[in-house]
């Protein structure tokens, strides 16, 4: 099975929900939420791609780095690469039930583990989504990061207690789902959270708590104040709010404010190893990939997912050789030639 074969099979199985475009940029699927697209005009999804495209990389080959090290540690967990699986849940809603949630989530988890990394699992209007994620982690006998929607504080703490029974790396809250209408329609409260809510949560558990959906310096600083262990600079793959900037556009200012105080993960539009390199240069400790893993899971199960990680890892190693980066910690902004040019300057 090749990556191309996985993609062909995914295109057949998705039955139009995802067109598995040659380049996954949010254009064909704009507005398809539920589905695989970005919300509204799809601008936030498209901005993720455009923001990454704006950076140019300095090619440097007079050095002695032949075997760059991409191994890293996130929340004390050894990973073979600075690439983790993003939470992609909701098979019934997003994929019209063509695949069972169990089948889909286990492929995401097992594929990540075979590649030496870990995946996040999700939550949704159907509360069993969260438990399916936990069960799938348990069945795969592996670690991961379950992500809870921004429910009432007591409901989040209850889910954290359930999750603590499993050998997980950290626990997440996708706080940018605060306005998710699908959840409220299904009678599941979601809403914004205060620093005091977050402090109650961080003090209720020994697990590192990760806030997913941070797009401003203000929210990043508030996360540090609340004792959060890590943030994901993310706009939910463009699925939460229309017209947000791309994540690679805001990442540098957020990193300038909180780097070293908190773990910084970033996602949105990461398609190749060079995108991973750019995100790390801009201040991320590691990245998450969403749609590439979802497509691989549908087209090739766990093996397809593993292949996607390994392909991106190979591309990252090659990009590190060509930019003179010895290991993940030595990737910095010096490898970038152009700093971000505002879209209005085009
Ligand atoms: C179909 C779909 C379902 C998703 N479900 C969740 C979820 O349950 N929880 C969550 O935190 N993020 C969810 N996300 C967002 C991803 O975790 C991630 O932030 C995003 O996909 C990254 O962008 P990328 O797909 O361009 O890599 C979902 C994304 C998609 C496409």
């Amino acid at each position: 099975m090749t990556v191309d074969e996985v993609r062909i099979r995914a295109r057949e199985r998705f039955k139009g929900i995802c067109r598995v475009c040659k380049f996954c940029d949010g254009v064909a699927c704009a507005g398809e939420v539920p589905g695989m697209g970005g919300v509204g005009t799809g601008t936030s999804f498209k901005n993720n791609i455009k923001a990454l495209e704006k950076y140019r990389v300095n090619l440097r080959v007079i050095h002695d780095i032949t075997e760059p090290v991409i191994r890293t540690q996130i929340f004390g967990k050894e990973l073979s690469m600075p690439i983790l699986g993003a939470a992609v849940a909701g098979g019934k809603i997003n994929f019209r039930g063509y695949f069972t949630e169990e089948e889909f989530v286990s492929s995401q988890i097992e594929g990540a583990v075979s590649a030496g990394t870990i995946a996040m699992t999700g939550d949704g209007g159907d509360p069993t989504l969260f438990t399916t994620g936990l069960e799938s982690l348990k069945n795969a006998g592996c670690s991961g990061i379950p992500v809870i929607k921004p429910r009432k504080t007591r409901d989040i703490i209850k889910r954290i207690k359930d999750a603590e029974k499993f050998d997980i790396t950290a626990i997440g809250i996708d706080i940018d789902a605060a306005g998710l209408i699908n959840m409220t329609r299904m009678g599941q409260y979601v809403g914004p959270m205060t620093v005091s809510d977050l402090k109650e949560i961080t003090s209720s558990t020994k697990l590192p708590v990760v806030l997913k959906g941070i797009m401003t310096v203000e929210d990043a600083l508030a996360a540090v104040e609340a004792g959060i262990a890590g943030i994901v600079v993310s706009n939910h793959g463009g699925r939460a709010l229309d017209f947000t900037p791309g994540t690679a556009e805001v990442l540098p200012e957020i990193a300038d404010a909180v780097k070293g105080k908190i773990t910084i993960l970033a996602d949105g539009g990461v398609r190749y190893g060079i995108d991973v390199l750019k995100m790390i240069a801009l201040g991320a400790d590691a990245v998450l990939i969403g749609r590439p893993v979802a497509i691989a899971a549908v087209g090739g199960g766990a093996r397809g997912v593993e292949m996607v990680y390994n392909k991106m890892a190979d591309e990252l190693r090659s990009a590190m050789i060509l930019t003179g980066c010895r290991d993940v910690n030595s990737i910095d902004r010096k490898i970038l030639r152009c700093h971000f040019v505002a879209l209005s300057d085009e």
Side-chain angles (χ1 to χ4, degrees):
M1 187 168 58
T2 65
V3 170
D4 283 342
E5 284 163 359
V6 168
R7 289 169 59 80
I8 290 167
R9 186 143 176 264
R11 196 172 294 121
E12 286 162 12
R13 292 197 78 198
F14 264 121
K15 299 190 174 71
I17 293 171
C18 172
R19 292 142 188 93
V20 190
C21 300
K22 186 155 190 225
F23 187 62
C24 171
D25 58 5
V27 174
C29 56
E32 295 180 5
V33 181
M36 287 279 275
V39 74
T41 62
T43 300
S44 299
F45 180 173
K46 289 182 259 186
N47 280 350
N48 284 341
I49 304 290
K50 285 186 187 163
L52 275 166
E53 273 176 357
K54 289 270 171 189
Y55 294 98
R56 301 287 176 266
V57 177
N58 295 320
L59 178 80
R60 274 204 57 216
V61 279
I62 303 188
H63 56 69
D64 65 355
I65 302 159
T66 52
E67 288 182 18
V69 178
I70 65 167
R71 260 194 328 275
T72 194
Q73 264 206 7
I74 295 292
F75 307 122
K77 175 92 185 162
E78 275 291 328
L79 302 180
S80 64
M81 62 183 81
I83 311 171
L84 293 80
V88 175
K92 237 188 242 165
I93 291 183
N94 291 309
F95 309 143
R96 297 182 212 138
Y98 287 152
F99 329 105
T100 68
E101 194 71 19
E102 289 82 359
E103 180 191 3
F104 181 63
V105 176
S106 350
S107 297
Q108 291 178 64
I109 296 170
E110 286 163 26
V113 170
S114 305
T117 184
I118 55 171
M120 293 186 169
T121 59
D123 184 15
D126 173 355
T128 63
L129 288 183
F130 182 70
T131 40
T132 302
L134 282 184
E135 284 299 321
S136 304
L137 284 172
K138 188 179 98 184
N139 293 342
C142 63
S143 188
I145 307 181
V147 179
I148 306 167
K149 291 277 177 247
R151 300 169 177 275
K152 297 260 191 229
T153 303
R154 64 168 184 278
D155 294 331
I156 293 179
I157 293 176
K158 187 185 162 301
R159 281 167 177 77
I160 293 177
K161 295 295 147 206
D162 291 342
E164 278 171 350
K165 293 176 202 141
F166 301 85
D167 173 32
I168 57 173
T169 309
I171 191 85
I173 304 169
D174 52 332
I175 195 157
D176 57 355
L180 201 68
I181 284 161
N182 272 343
M183 291 281 296
T184 37
R185 274 201 199 122
M186 294 171 85
Q188 303 283 310
Y189 171 89
V190 281
M193 301 176 74
T194 63
V195 169
S196 131
D197 295 332
L198 293 170
K199 276 186 180 163
E200 198 179 329
I201 288 167
T202 53
S203 57
S204 75
T205 180
K206 289 201 173 67
L207 285 170
V209 179
V210 185
L211 270 193
K212 181 168 177 287
I214 299 298
M215 287 293 285
T216 61
V217 169
E218 290 78 4
D219 274 6
L221 291 171
V224 173
E225 189 191 336
I228 292 292
I231 54 171
V232 187
V233 176
S234 171
N235 61 12
H236 218 102
R239 295 166 67 82
L241 174 68
D242 207 357
F243 294 104
T244 66
T247 53
E249 184 178 345
V250 297
L251 177 56
E253 65 207 47
I254 293 176
D256 286 345
V258 300
K259 184 89 179 172
K261 296 183 191 149
I262 199 165
T263 297
I264 304 177
L265 306 174
D267 74 14
V270 174
R271 303 289 178 262
Y272 300 102
I274 189 77
D275 299 324
V276 180
L277 184 85
K278 286 181 182 179
M279 287 290 207
I280 295 174
L282 295 170
D285 295 302
V287 305
L288 313 180
I289 49 174
R291 292 175 181 91
V293 162
I295 292 168
V298 168
R303 177 73 191 118
V305 171
E306 180 189 354
M307 285 163 66
V308 163
Y309 282 109
N310 288 339
K311 176 174 174 290
M312 249 186 229
D314 285 346
E315 291 165 352
L316 173 62
R317 275 188 212 96
S318 165
M320 286 171 71
I321 292 173
L322 294 170
T323 51
C325 300
R326 198 171 294 281
D327 52 33
V328 173
N329 287 333
S330 60
I331 303 173
D332 63 21
R333 279 184 218 171
K334 287 205 278 299
I335 68 158
L336 302 176
R337 177 174 169 77
C338 293
H339 291 288
F340 192 81
V341 186
L343 293 173
S344 56
D345 294 340
E346 277 178 325

